Structure formats: C-alpha cells, structure tokens
Amino acid sequence: MTGAVLALLLAAPAAAYETFSLPNGLQVLLVPDHSVPVVTMGWGVPTGKRQEARGRSGFAHLFEHLTFQGSANVPRGGFDKILERFGTDSNAFTAIDRTYYYARLPAHAWTTALWIDADRLSSLDISSRSLRNQIDVVKEERRQNVDGEAYAPLLSVLVASRSFSNWANAHDTYGSFADLEAARLADARAFFLAHYAPREIRLALVGDFEPAEARAALEKYLGWIPNRSAPAAVVPAGEPARTGG
C-alpha cells in the first residue's frame, strides 16, 4: 500500500453503521456505503472445531458443505447457479471457532442472496444422499489439502495436537476419516437445529443499500425463522497451566 493511499484511508470519515436484533435473536450490523453499486452480505455462526463433540471431529466443516446441498425452494446445486447469473463472488469457510458465509454482488441483486440464505436456514434439505456425498468430498479435500501437501500435516495437524492438551483445541478442522464415516443423519439434523438457529447467527451487510429498506428485507426474510431447539452447548476450550519450558 502506497503512502498516498494509506493517507486517504486514514483521512476518510468513519462509516456510519447500525446494529439491531431481529425478534428471533439474529444480530445484524448494517454499514451503508454508496461509493460503488455493490453489496456484501456475510453471516456466520460461532461454530468451528472447538464446538465439536469428541468423536465428531470435522463435523463443523462437513456441515458447511451440507448447507449447499439444497433447501425447500432451491434444488441441490442451485445456490451457485442462481447467484452466478449476477456475477456474484460467494463462498464459505470453517475456522477454529466459527463458520462464515458471504456473497458479494451487484446492489440491485443482494436480496436474492438473502432469499437463498433464508431458505436454507429455514428449510435445509439434509438427506442421507447429501450426507454420504459430502463425507466423500471432505475426505478428498483432506487428501489434497493436508495429506498431499508438503508441510501441511505439520501445520494443520501436528502443531495443534502436540501443543494442546484439551481435545477441543488439539484436533484439526478437517477431522479424522473414522469420525467422518461415523456421522449419521440424526447427528447432522441435530447439529443444524442447535448451531444454526437464528439466535446463533451474526449477519453484516456492507455496501450500496438504504438502511430502512435493508432492515425491512431482513425482517421479512429472516425475522420469522424460529429457534428450533436448545442453544448449542458450550465446549470448554481452556488449557491447563504449563509447568515446563
């Protein structure tokens, strides 16, 4: 970054923003910016490897894959096909303690992404077929991104496993093949109900929109979705005090 560009960024006024919660507890951050006709919508849940139960390693990442497998009004494979018509940049990722989804698209089309996300959050199609298919996909990702990459086993697996005592911190995000194979349909459905309930979701909207119109759209598409089960369990992520060098 050049000095001139940095100076402009530092001199720019802080963006106005608004925060509020929908009736179901879903928390929203609005940051309007009319400099370009683009809107980015990102949302996530506080669920990553640290929130997985022992014997279910890799489940948060596996479930991220399942959220793209169709819903009541969007067939399997339809999420990307619909958004690609607008030249949308969209994706998702699973980290240590969160799973995050985003879509960056023209300002006139952002409510299409909102409708798609509302459909999968309210009526995700979790089937035996999609679960089996995505278990195989995640296993292949691990082969390519960890097992088949130089230094990846060290950085992705061994450092954490030898640095931490608490299993929540010590296992890797991809999970073991044994745990992935052990995943069952009931487990996936229970995970959805607990971890993807509206009260767990934090959503940010940034770009070329009018706050009042955005708030009305968010309330229309997301505000009615019920919290379907008990809150997700909190997994302790602490570590014992170190006594050695």
Side-chain angles (χ1 to χ4, degrees):
M1 181 180 293
T2 66
V5 173
L6 179 60
L8 287 173
L9 290 175
L10 293 174
Y17 67 90
E18 175 184 353
T19 61
F20 61 92
S21 295
L22 297 180
N24 51 19
L26 191 154
Q27 296 183 30
V28 178
L29 168 67
L30 299 182
V31 186
D33 180 352
H34 302 292
S35 57
V36 292
V38 174
V39 169
T40 297
M41 182 175 68
W43 62 271
V45 294
T47 303
K49 76 167 189 176
R50 283 179 176 164
Q51 287 69 44
E52 294 167 346
R54 188 181 289 272
R56 291 290 179 267
S57 65
F59 213 95
H61 179 221
L62 171 62
F63 197 85
E64 174 211 317
H65 281 248
L66 290 175
T67 61
F68 289 89
Q69 297 305 298
S71 53
N73 297 292
V74 182
R76 183 171 177 263
F79 295 153
D80 291 335
K81 288 181 180 178
I82 293 172
L83 294 178
E84 283 169 1
R85 300 175 191 170
F86 303 104
T88 303
D89 172 22
S90 64
N91 212 329
F93 65 84
T94 304
I96 294 174
D97 53 11
R98 71 188 188 280
T99 305
Y100 177 75
Y101 301 79
Y102 74 88
R104 185 182 300 111
L105 65 172
H108 72 275
W110 79 266
T111 53
T112 300
L114 174 61
W115 172 78
I116 288 174
D117 282 338
D119 202 54
R120 61 177 162 181
L121 287 170
S122 61
S123 60
L124 188 65
D125 181 15
I126 307 173
S127 68
S128 297
R129 175 192 175 191
S130 62
L131 179 61
R132 180 67 262 169
N133 174 270
Q134 293 309 303
I135 287 172
D136 291 340
V137 170
V138 171
K139 287 168 63 178
E140 184 59 28
E141 276 193 0
R142 184 187 176 95
R143 291 188 187 100
Q144 293 182 359
N145 299 336
V146 178
D147 301 337
E149 287 287 334
Y151 303 110
L154 170 65
L155 298 175
S156 299
V157 181
L158 294 178
V159 169
S161 67
R162 298 186 182 184
S163 299
F164 300 111
S165 301
N166 186 333
W167 182 85
N169 300 317
H171 74 284
D172 67 279
T173 305
Y174 280 101
S176 71
F177 280 13
D179 285 353
L180 290 171
E181 287 290 348
R184 297 293 178 263
L185 193 58
D187 301 325
R189 289 174 174 168
F191 193 90
F192 175 60
L193 296 177
H195 293 276
Y196 281 75
R199 62 172 161 255
E200 303 290 328
I201 296 171
R202 308 293 182 265
L203 183 149
L205 192 68
V206 181
D208 189 15
F209 61 84
E210 295 301 329
E213 295 176 1
R215 183 166 187 154
L218 290 163
E219 291 175 348
K220 173 184 176 182
Y221 288 107
L222 297 174
W224 66 273
I225 301 174
N227 288 300
R228 296 158 291 236
S229 70
V234 176
V235 178
E239 292 288 331
R242 295 188 181 275
T243 57

Coordinates of all heavy atoms in Angstrom, one line a residue, residues 59 62-63 66 69 125-137 180 182-189:
F59 N -16.9 -32.2 12.0 CA -18.4 -32.1 11.7 C -18.8 -30.7 11.3 O -19.6 -30.5 10.5 CB -19.1 -32.5 13.0 CG -20.4 -33.2 12.6 CD1 -20.6 -34.5 12.5 CD2 -21.6 -32.4 12.4 CE1 -21.8 -35.1 12.2 CE2 -22.8 -33.0 12.1 CZ -22.9 -34.4 11.9
L62 N -17.8 -30.4 7.7 CA -18.7 -31.2 7.0 C -20.1 -30.5 6.8 O -20.7 -30.5 5.7 CB -18.9 -32.6 7.6 CG -20.0 -33.5 7.1 CD1 -19.7 -33.9 5.6 CD2 -20.1 -34.8 7.9
F63 N -20.6 -29.9 7.9 CA -21.9 -29.3 7.8 C -21.9 -28.1 6.9 O -22.9 -27.8 6.3 CB -22.4 -29.0 9.2 CG -23.9 -28.7 9.2 CD1 -24.8 -29.8 9.4 CD2 -24.4 -27.4 9.0 CE1 -26.2 -29.6 9.3 CE2 -25.8 -27.2 9.0 CZ -26.6 -28.3 9.1
L66 N -22.8 -29.3 3.7 CA -24.2 -29.7 3.6 C -25.1 -28.5 3.4 O -26.2 -28.7 2.8 CB -24.6 -30.4 4.9 CG -24.0 -31.8 5.1 CD1 -24.5 -32.4 6.5 CD2 -24.5 -32.8 4.0
Q69 N -26.4 -28.0 -0.2 CA -26.9 -29.2 -0.9 C -28.4 -29.1 -1.2 O -29.1 -30.1 -1.5 CB -26.6 -30.5 -0.1 CG -25.2 -30.8 0.0 CD -24.5 -30.9 -1.3 OE1 -24.9 -31.8 -2.1 NE2 -23.6 -30.0 -1.6
D125 N -32.3 -29.0 3.3 CA -32.6 -30.4 2.9 C -31.4 -31.3 3.3 O -30.4 -31.3 2.6 CB -32.8 -30.5 1.4 CG -33.2 -31.9 1.0 OD1 -33.5 -32.8 1.9 OD2 -33.1 -32.2 -0.2
I126 N -31.5 -31.9 4.5 CA -30.4 -32.8 5.0 C -30.9 -34.2 4.7 O -31.7 -34.7 5.4 CB -30.2 -32.5 6.5 CG1 -30.0 -31.0 6.7 CG2 -29.0 -33.3 7.0 CD1 -29.9 -30.7 8.2
S127 N -30.3 -34.8 3.7 CA -30.6 -36.2 3.3 C -29.5 -37.1 3.5 O -28.3 -36.7 3.6 CB -31.1 -36.2 1.9 OG -30.1 -35.9 1.0
S128 N -29.8 -38.4 3.5 CA -28.7 -39.4 3.5 C -27.8 -39.3 2.3 O -26.6 -39.5 2.4 CB -29.4 -40.8 3.6 OG -30.1 -41.0 4.8
R129 N -28.4 -39.0 1.2 CA -27.6 -38.9 0.0 C -26.6 -37.8 0.0 O -25.4 -38.0 -0.3 CB -28.6 -38.7 -1.2 CG -27.8 -38.5 -2.5 CD -28.8 -37.9 -3.6 NE -28.1 -37.6 -4.8 CZ -28.7 -36.9 -5.8 NH1 -29.9 -36.6 -5.8 NH2 -28.0 -36.6 -6.9
S130 N -27.1 -36.6 0.5 CA -26.2 -35.5 0.5 C -25.1 -35.7 1.6 O -24.0 -35.3 1.4 CB -27.0 -34.2 0.8 OG -27.7 -34.2 2.0
L131 N -25.5 -36.3 2.7 CA -24.5 -36.5 3.8 C -23.4 -37.5 3.3 O -22.2 -37.2 3.5 CB -25.2 -37.1 5.0 CG -24.3 -37.5 6.2 CD1 -23.6 -36.3 6.7 CD2 -25.1 -38.2 7.3
R132 N -23.8 -38.6 2.6 CA -22.8 -39.5 2.1 C -21.9 -38.9 1.1 O -20.7 -39.1 1.1 CB -23.6 -40.7 1.5 CG -22.7 -41.8 0.9 CD -21.9 -42.6 2.0 NE -20.5 -42.1 2.1 CZ -19.7 -42.4 3.1 NH1 -20.2 -43.1 4.1 NH2 -18.5 -41.9 3.1
N133 N -22.5 -38.1 0.2 CA -21.8 -37.4 -0.8 C -20.7 -36.5 -0.3 O -19.6 -36.4 -0.7 CB -22.7 -36.7 -1.8 CG -22.0 -35.9 -2.8 OD1 -21.8 -34.7 -2.6 ND2 -21.8 -36.5 -4.0
Q134 N -21.2 -35.7 0.7 CA -20.3 -34.7 1.2 C -19.2 -35.2 2.2 O -18.1 -34.7 2.3 CB -21.1 -33.6 1.9 CG -21.9 -32.8 1.0 CD -21.1 -32.2 -0.2 OE1 -20.1 -31.5 0.0 NE2 -21.5 -32.6 -1.4
I135 N -19.5 -36.4 2.8 CA -18.4 -37.0 3.6 C -17.3 -37.4 2.6 O -16.1 -37.2 2.9 CB -19.0 -38.3 4.3 CG1 -19.8 -37.9 5.5 CG2 -17.8 -39.2 4.7 CD1 -20.6 -39.1 6.1
D136 N -17.6 -37.9 1.4 CA -16.6 -38.3 0.5 C -15.9 -37.0 -0.1 O -14.6 -37.1 -0.3 CB -17.2 -39.0 -0.7 CG -17.7 -40.4 -0.3 OD1 -17.2 -40.9 0.7 OD2 -18.6 -41.0 -1.0
V137 N -16.6 -35.9 -0.2 CA -16.0 -34.7 -0.7 C -15.0 -34.2 0.3 O -13.8 -33.8 0.0 CB -17.0 -33.6 -1.0 CG1 -16.4 -32.3 -1.3 CG2 -17.9 -34.1 -2.2
L180 N -15.6 -38.9 10.4 CA -16.4 -38.6 9.3 C -17.3 -39.7 8.8 O -18.5 -39.5 8.6 CB -15.6 -38.1 8.1 CG -14.8 -36.8 8.3 CD1 -13.9 -36.5 7.1 CD2 -15.8 -35.6 8.3
A182 N -18.4 -42.0 10.7 CA -19.3 -42.3 11.7 C -20.5 -41.4 11.8 O -21.5 -41.6 12.5 CB -18.6 -42.3 13.1
A183 N -20.4 -40.3 11.0 CA -21.5 -39.3 11.0 C -22.8 -39.9 10.5 O -22.9 -40.6 9.5 CB -21.1 -38.1 10.1
R184 N -23.9 -39.6 11.2 CA -25.2 -40.1 10.9 C -26.2 -39.0 10.6 O -26.0 -37.8 11.0 CB -25.7 -41.0 12.0 CG -24.9 -42.2 12.3 CD -25.0 -43.2 11.1 NE -24.1 -44.4 11.3 CZ -22.9 -44.5 10.8 NH1 -22.4 -43.5 10.1 NH2 -22.2 -45.6 11.0
L185 N -27.2 -39.3 9.9 CA -28.2 -38.3 9.5 C -28.8 -37.6 10.8 O -29.0 -36.3 10.7 CB -29.3 -38.9 8.7 CG -30.3 -38.0 8.0 CD1 -29.6 -37.1 7.0 CD2 -31.4 -38.8 7.2
A186 N -29.1 -38.3 11.8 CA -29.6 -37.7 13.0 C -28.7 -36.7 13.6 O -29.1 -35.7 14.2 CB -30.0 -38.8 14.0
D187 N -27.4 -37.0 13.5 CA -26.3 -36.1 14.0 C -26.4 -34.8 13.3 O -26.3 -33.7 13.9 CB -24.9 -36.7 13.9 CG -24.8 -38.0 14.7 OD1 -25.4 -38.1 15.8 OD2 -24.1 -38.9 14.2
A188 N -26.4 -34.9 11.9 CA -26.5 -33.7 11.1 C -27.7 -32.8 11.4 O -27.6 -31.6 11.4 CB -26.4 -34.1 9.6
R189 N -28.8 -33.4 11.5 CA -30.0 -32.7 11.8 C -30.0 -32.0 13.1 O -30.4 -30.9 13.3 CB -31.3 -33.6 11.6 CG -31.5 -34.0 10.2 CD -32.6 -35.0 10.0 NE -32.9 -35.2 8.6 CZ -33.7 -36.2 8.1 NH1 -34.2 -37.1 8.9 NH2 -33.9 -36.3 6.8

